[in-house]
Each structure stands twice: as C-alpha cells, then as structure tokens.
Amino acid sequence: MPQTPLTVAELSEAELLTRIFPRLELGASHSAAVLLGPGDDAAVVAAPDGRTVVSIDTQVQDQDFRLRWNNGYRTTGYDVGWKAAAQNLSDINAMGAAATSMVVSLTMPADTPVDWVEDLADGLSAAIGKLGAGSCSVAGGDLGRGGELSVTVAVLGTLSGGQPVLRSGAAAGDTLAIAGNAGRAAAGLALLESQHPVESLSPDLRQLLDLQCRPEPPLEAGPLARISGATAMMDISDGLVRDGTRLAIASGVVLDLDPGMLRTLTVPLQPAAALLGADPLAWVLGGGEDHGLLATFPADVQLPPGFTGIGSVQARGTHEAAGVKIAGRPADSVGWDHFAD
Amino acid sequence: MPQTPLTVAELSEAELLTRIFPRLELGASHSAAVLLGPGDDAAVVAAPDGRTVVSIDTQVQDQDFRLRWNNGYRTTGYDVGWKAAAQNLSDINAMGAAATSMVVSLTMPADTPVDWVEDLADGLSAAIGKLGAGSCSVAGGDLGRGGELSVTVAVLGTLSGGQPVLRSGAAAGDTLAIAGNAGRAAAGLALLESQHPVESLSPDLRQLLDLQCRPEPPLEAGPLARISGATAMMDISDGLVRDGTRLAIASGVVLDLDPGMLRTLTVPLQPAAALLGADPLAWVLGGGEDHGLLATFPADVQLPPGFTGIGSVQARGTHEAAGVKIAGRPADSVGWDHFAD
C-alpha cells in the first residue's frame, strides 16, 4: 500500500519552518545584506545607499499556474518557488537594481504534502542562486492556511547609489532594445495547454515548456542598463506590445518595432509554432512571463551586453497617441490582463 | 429591481487601480519616505540609517476572518484592510521601529464587488492614519484573481539609527510589561461566534467585537520601549502565554506573571464573559490578535508610557525549561497555531 504523504496539517508552524529554513540556506550562509534573519517579528536588511527598492507579487494556483496542465504536466513545488522568486527578482531588475532580500508568505490548503512545500523552498532558493541574484537571500516569511495555494514574495533591492530607471524617460531618437527571452514562455504555455504530453516533446520544445514553468529573467542586464545610461526600462510580464504601450504612454512617445528583428525573435519558436499551428510572431508580441527587459538608450550609447536593438523611439505626430508601432503601423497584438475577460 | 454591484471582473487592472489609488492618499500627500510610489515595476523607499526593517503577513478569508460570522456580522472590506495594515504595522512596532511604507498584494474572486475593494483601501488607509503610523504610506502593490480573498502586506520600517529589540534579550531580574489590549480581540471573536447579534450588544461589548475586526496595536509604544532600553520585545499575536513562551525560550529565561495584574486585565472582559459563560482569564492568557506588545525592561528603568508591569523575568532553575509561569506555577493556557489542529 502506498504511504500517504505527510501533509502540512500534521505539523505545527514551527515544525514546518524547521524543514524549510535549511533549504533557503538561511543562517551562516545568508547574504551579508540580511542583518537580522527569520525568528523575530521582522527582519532587518541593509540599505547601503539609504534607500531600498521594493516590490510585491503573488502567484495563485489556477491563475498563475495550474497544478495539472492540459498536456498532463504537473506543476512542481520547485516550479512554483522558482517562478515566484524569478518574477519578483525581475521587478527589481527592471528598476536597474540588485535584489538584497526577499520575504515570502505562503498560503496552503491543509492537505498540501510537506515535500511539495520543501520542493517549493528548493525552487525559490535555486532561482535566487542560478539566476544570479547572488546578493539576495530570504530574510523572513509567513506560513498560513487557505483554500488554495498562493505564494506572495516581496523583494527588496539596492540601486548602489544610482538613480532608478523609470518607464517615463524614453525620448525621441533613443534606441529600443530588449534583453532576455521573448515569446518562449508563451510558446511553453501553448504547449502545456496542448494535447502533446511532455514525454513526446523534443528537447527544444521541452525547453520552452520549462521556461513557462521556470522563467529566466536576465538579472545582470538591469543594473548594466542603468549604468550604461538607459533612459527608460520595464520588465515584459504581460507582452511586448502591451508593456511597450505602457512605457510609451509613460514617456509620451511612440515605440517603433523593426519587423526584421521581430522575425529573428521568432526563430527559436518556429518548431513549437509548426507543431501547434500557431503564429510565432503573436508569441513574441503578446507573450509575457519571460520577464525580459524592454529598455531605451540614447542613440550614441553602445548597448550593454545582453541587449539587442529591436526598434527606435519616435516623437508622437500631431494628435497621435503614445503607443507601439511595427514599421510605422499600429501594433494590434495584445498581451494579458488579469481582470478584463 | 436591485442593481447588481459592479464586480472586479468588469474592470481592467488599470481601471481598478484608478479607483484604489486616491483612497490610499497616494500622490502629493504620500509620506516623505516613499521616494518613488506606484506606477513603475517597483517603488523606492528611504532607509535613512542604511537599514530597513521588513515583515510580511497574509490574511485569508475563512482563516483570518469570516466574510459572515455566526452572529450575523458581515466582515467589511474596511475591516479587512484595517486588520491587514494593523497586523503588519504591529510587527514593525515589535522591533522598536516605525513603519515607512507598505506594499500590498490583493487576490480576489472575479465576483468581488468593486465597492468592497474600495472599502478595503479605505480601511488600510484609515488604520495607517488612526493608529499613528504617520510616516507610513502605501508604496505599491499588486492585484490579481483567485478563488478566495487574500490580502498580503509587506511593511518596511526604520529604527532611526537604533538597534532592533529582539525576543532574545530578556535577563533575570527584568520587569515584564505589556502595552495595548489583552484579550479584547479574543472576547470579540467569541461574540462573533456566539448567537448574540451585533444589534443586541451594549456599546462595551460592541467595542470588543470591533477590536477583533479592527485591532488597535499601540504603535507609539514600540519605539518608546526601544529608546527606554527594553531588553526584549515581541507582539502578542497568538496569545500572552504562547508568545511569552517564545520570548522565554529565545531568551533562555522564565517569565513569571503576577496573578493580580492578570485579574486587572480581565476587568474590561467581564461583561462579555458573563454573557457567554466564559472565563475572561482564558482570553487574557490565550487570546491573540490584539497585537499588544510584550516587553522586558531592566528593573531600574521607569516603564515608558503605555506599558504596565505584569510580572518579572527569572533565571531558569536547574533542569528547568524556559517558559511562562503564573505566580511560580506553569501556565497551561495556550494560544493559537495556524497548522496543528
């Protein structure tokens, strides 16, 4: 008879924390920025330049991930932990900052297996390490029960004395550039929602699926862009056109995308598009969740490593709205909105 | 025909934010600590002494509050917003720090009425203002959908150059003191779970119910305790005995409560205890959620305003475990654990 797994209902909060803390590499090995870690009512984190960058984001089951996808893939705790960390680290990256710490609040149904939670802690920790947020560690958190799985991360970061890169600074004549993946997580999502089981996928296709479950934001690129003089920046979480429109509106400009560069971005997506009968350009333009960076740089600045030019910033014409164009024509692909159906 | 209320499903995230932001008094009037508020990927908050205190906490429907209680009371959005703010501000208070900002992540079912969410923003804002967290404002947040209502707040604070007051610093000979309410929120919970409708309650009883829904942590007391030389401190969220035991274990001491002082604390609870046939001492010893402070001070320190001595710190006897006693006998009342049933 298979053993029923140990559930969180069978442990006290203290017992569960005892299983999680070592996986977050807390204690002696935590980052120097965490001056006081878990165990008290609050943590204390260094803010060396007298400021801290802060962001918060929640992942909820059946909204941000499915526990079981249409193609049979089961989301692991590791996936959820990784994604929660990656998505939040990306928000700090998008300001041109480096993460110093995160606090995590985990809400779980009583029947959640303890090993699923341990796996989540492993995923969180792995994302921090492997994505290059080497100065970041988990400073504290909160565990509680609920009817559905939900993970909220608040992340703190430092600008190391520099100015944050806002969405509002793009100017006509700037170069528009991206760093990181574009459309891969969207292609992965389409594979997860398809009839093609994981086992049937080639390594290339499997990688796309993996990038939906465990996105890889380019965490070195944000601070590099700030140092290189980026005029505006944001992370692409809802799609290139939708997020680009936000940046364009905040800056009062038009972003004009180069169709040739967009076609280049579709290349790694073409096998998945062929398998699913999908348009890879729609993934590039409308897909979020890769958490790449969209940034603008003065035309005379050499793009920092990791960035690729994909267009230019233009002044709005008379009576023209701020927005995104492709070779001078309004882009009509849209990304994702959490509320409007 | 009654109009069906506008739900969050009918608005885009941007439209919903437009309704919430003014209620959080963002913009020109936000606190000086928030250097960059909502609208970008992350906020920037001042950390004047080069450190930031940080904590995170989640409220979930049917766990931390019921939308409708046994006695017919319906939890308002205002209640939930207030409680989420109060509980988190208390964690900063318990370190001896003052809150500088909070970021809020709100998860809501699609059928959540928009005015309920507006009410929540009002409650959050009111708690910050009325509880005396005058230097705090909402720096940013996240809105998303889920199957149940859930509010996570991460709060940042400053120690103004001082040292955080930990749980681990209590020493034999110290005075044990509390600030804020004790047992009132627990009495309020008992009223909510009783058969006595709100309308039938006297003003005194109604006040207890209100303190369960909208607790009033003594936010001035934490920094005062730090400045006065408190040796250990924590907030009482799970009950005096349970939280006291945590402080005792962290400090390796015994806390001995004075039965006379405990009886004094039961006075405001006696009408509710009489109505419900309950023991008011059990509320004082076991009730959390008032978010009072439990602190220890050297015996020669005059207790700062707001604190009342309730006992003393004693060395452990040989082979004696750290813990809480009442007049030398082990206290056996327990508080609340989120996991163990």
Side-chain angles (χ1 to χ4, degrees):
Chain A
M1 233 174 71
Q3 259 196 310
T4 43
L6 186 70
T7 68
V8 296
E10 297 168 72
L11 296 182
S12 72
E13 185 170 358
E15 288 167 334
L16 193 53
L17 288 172
T18 303
R19 287 167 173 257
I20 292 174
F21 280 171
R23 292 166 186 272
L24 299 173
E25 296 172 53
L26 297 170
S29 67
H30 69 56
S31 95
V34 177
L35 306 174
L36 176 71
D40 236 287
D41 293 81
V44 184
V45 177
D49 69 1
R51 300 167 301 167
T52 188
V53 182
V54 59
S55 181
I56 191 166
D57 201 65
T58 299
Q59 315 282 310
V60 183
Q61 80 177 67
D62 303 328
Q63 301 291 332
D64 300 284
F65 59 89
R66 295 190 193 287
L67 287 172
R68 185 178 176 144
W69 295 88
N70 197 45
N71 80 334
Y73 181 77
R74 288 174 190 275
T75 297
T76 64
Y78 191 92
D79 291 342
V80 173
W82 179 292
K83 196 168 182 174
Q87 193 159 325
N88 280 277
L89 291 168
S90 178
D91 283 326
I92 297 299
N93 193 37
M95 304 302 284
T100 52
S101 66
M102 51 176 71
V103 288
V104 183
S105 186
L106 181 55
T107 300
M108 301 165 285
D111 63 357
T112 306
V114 169
D115 60 8
W116 200 93
V117 182
E118 292 174 343
D119 205 25
L120 186 148
D122 286 343
L124 202 65
S125 195
I128 292 172
K130 294 189 183 164
L131 295 174
S135 310
C136 180
S137 66
V138 178
D142 177 45
L143 295 173
R145 273 209 210 160
E148 62 194 4
L149 272 160
S150 173
V151 193
T152 302
V153 174
V155 59
L156 306 186
T158 180
L159 287 157
S160 304
Q163 288 307 305
V165 186
L166 309 186
R167 298 178 179 183
S168 52
D174 284 353
T175 302
L176 181 69
I178 61 166
N181 297 319
R184 297 196 197 203
L189 179 64
L191 288 166
L192 284 164
E193 292 190 332
S194 78
Q195 301 293 336
H196 301 280
V198 176
E199 311 78 61
S200 73
L201 302 176
S202 67
D204 282 5
L205 295 175
R206 173 63 200 246
Q207 195 207 23
L208 297 173
L209 182 151
D210 288 345
L211 284 171
Q212 164 60 221
C213 298
R214 297 181 299 284
E216 299 184 356
L219 295 189
E220 64 301 320
L224 273 180
R226 173 176 58 76
I227 294 163
S228 300
T231 51
M233 186 156 64
M234 67 183 297
D235 96 314
I236 304 169
S237 53
D238 291 337
L240 177 54
V241 170
R242 172 166 290 214
D243 288 319
T245 301
R246 291 174 178 148
L247 190 148
I249 290 172
S251 296
V253 296
V254 167
L255 304 182
D256 194 36
L257 301 172
D258 175 335
M261 292 310 300
L262 293 175
R263 270 192 298 276
T264 306
L265 293 173
T266 66
V267 172
L269 313 178
Q270 282 166 3
L275 179 71
L276 302 174
D279 175 3
L281 191 60
W283 290 332
V284 167
L285 293 173
E289 301 190 285
D290 281 307
H291 302 288
L293 291 178
L294 182 66
T296 58
F297 296 87
D300 59 354
V301 160
Q302 192 183 346
L303 295 181
F307 281 91
T308 307
I310 57 162
S312 61
V313 182
Q314 299 176 355
R316 282 178 296 146
T318 318
H319 307 304
E320 186 182 14
V324 175
K325 292 184 167 184
I326 300 172
R329 296 184 180 183
D332 57 355
S333 170
V334 290
W336 231 59
D337 192 288
H338 286 292
F339 289 97
D341 285 310
Chain B
M1 235 172 71
Q3 258 196 312
T4 44
L6 186 71
T7 69
V8 297
E10 297 169 73
L11 296 182
S12 71
E13 185 169 358
E15 288 167 333
L16 193 53
L17 287 173
T18 304
R19 287 167 173 256
I20 292 174
F21 280 171
R23 293 167 184 270
L24 298 174
E25 297 172 51
L26 297 170
S29 68
H30 70 54
S31 95
V34 177
L35 306 172
L36 176 71
D40 236 285
D41 293 81
V44 183
V45 177
D49 70 0
R51 300 166 302 167
T52 188
V53 182
V54 59
S55 183
I56 190 166
D57 201 66
T58 298
Q59 315 282 309
V60 183
Q61 81 176 69
D62 304 329
Q63 302 291 331
D64 299 285
F65 59 89
R66 295 190 193 286
L67 287 173
R68 183 177 178 147
W69 295 88
N70 197 44
N71 79 335
Y73 181 77
R74 289 174 188 275
T75 297
T76 63
Y78 191 93
D79 292 342
V80 173
W82 179 292
K83 196 168 181 174
Q87 193 160 327
N88 280 278
L89 290 169
S90 178
D91 283 328
I92 297 300
N93 193 37
M95 304 303 283
T100 51
S101 65
M102 49 176 72
V103 287
V104 182
S105 186
L106 181 56
T107 300
M108 301 164 287
D111 63 359
T112 306
V114 169
D115 60 10
W116 199 94
V117 182
E118 291 174 343
D119 205 25
L120 187 147
D122 286 343
L124 203 64
S125 196
I128 292 172
K130 294 188 184 165
L131 295 174
S135 310
C136 180
S137 65
V138 178
D142 178 44
L143 295 173
R145 275 210 210 158
E148 62 194 3
L149 271 161
S150 173
V151 193
T152 302
V153 173
V155 58
L156 306 186
T158 179
L159 286 157
S160 304
Q163 288 307 305
V165 186
L166 309 186
R167 299 178 179 183
S168 53
D174 284 354
T175 301
L176 182 68
I178 61 166
N181 298 319
R184 298 196 197 202
L189 180 63
L191 288 166
L192 285 164
E193 292 190 333
S194 77
Q195 301 293 337
H196 301 279
V198 175
E199 311 77 61
S200 72
L201 301 177
S202 67
D204 280 5
L205 296 175
R206 175 62 199 248
Q207 195 205 25
L208 297 173
L209 182 152
D210 288 346
L211 285 169
Q212 164 61 222
C213 298
R214 297 181 300 283
E216 299 185 354
L219 295 189
E220 65 301 321
L224 274 181
R226 173 177 57 74
I227 293 163
S228 300
T231 51
M233 188 157 62
M234 68 183 297
D235 95 315
I236 304 169
S237 53
D238 291 338
L240 178 54
V241 170
R242 173 166 289 213
D243 288 320
T245 301
R246 291 174 178 147
L247 189 148
I249 291 171
S251 295
V253 295
V254 168
L255 305 181
D256 194 35
L257 301 172
D258 176 334
M261 292 310 302
L262 294 175
R263 269 193 298 276
T264 306
L265 293 173
T266 65
V267 172
L269 313 178
Q270 282 166 4
L275 179 72
L276 302 174
D279 176 3
L281 191 60
W283 289 333
V284 167
L285 292 174
E289 300 191 285
D290 282 305
H291 302 288
L293 292 179
L294 182 67
T296 58
F297 296 87
D300 59 353
V301 161
Q302 193 183 347
L303 295 181
F307 281 91
T308 306
I310 57 162
S312 61
V313 181
Q314 300 176 354
R316 282 179 296 145
T318 318
H319 308 305
E320 186 183 14
V324 175
K325 292 183 167 183
I326 301 173
R329 295 183 181 185
D332 57 355
S333 171
V334 291
W336 229 60
D337 191 288
H338 287 292
F339 288 97
D341 285 309

